[in-house]
């Protein structure tokens, strides 16, 4: 009464494919992959948020960081 051989696992896989179908199994695997991806993304987001909180605020007169919206645009739009 030893362990299962490769033939046992192939028969189980064949039965699972017949019962559930390939479309249902692939969509389930895709959903699981998306869930893992979102979990990892969320874990990285917490770390990035903690790093952003530790950054000092820019002082008055300093240039804003790259990618920050410019206040000059707002003034240019109101002069029209």
């Amino acid at each position: 009464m030893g362990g299962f051989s490769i033939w046992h696992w192939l028969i189980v896989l064949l039965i699972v494919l017949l019962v559930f179908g390939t479309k249902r199994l692939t969509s389930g695997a895709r959903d699981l992959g998306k869930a893992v991806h979102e979990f990892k993304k969320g874990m990285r987001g917490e770390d990035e948020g903690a790093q952003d909180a530790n950054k000092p605020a820019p002082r008055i007169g300093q240039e804003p960081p790259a990618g920050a919206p410019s206040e000059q645009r707002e003034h240019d739009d109101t002069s029209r």
Side-chain angles (χ1 to χ4, degrees):
M1 306 242 75
F4 291 106
S5 70
I6 188 70
W7 294 109
H8 289 103
W9 290 115
L10 289 175
I11 291 170
V12 168
L13 179 64
L14 180 67
I15 292 170
V16 168
L17 284 173
L18 290 173
V19 170
F20 293 109
T22 57
K23 187 175 182 179
R24 198 178 217 182
L25 289 176
T26 55
S27 67
R30 187 179 305 118
D31 291 342
L32 180 63
K34 285 180 182 178
V36 169
H37 179 72
E38 289 296 321
F39 176 76
K40 288 181 179 180
K41 185 178 172 183
M43 293 301 290
R44 279 181 282 173
E46 289 179 6
D47 294 341
E48 292 172 0
Q51 290 174 357
D52 290 341
N54 293 333
K55 289 183 182 178
R59 294 184 182 176
I60 297 175
Q62 287 183 339
E63 290 186 25
S70 174
E71 291 183 18
Q72 188 174 5
R73 285 186 192 161
E74 294 176 11
H75 298 295
D76 290 341
D77 290 339
T78 58
S79 63
R80 290 184 188 178

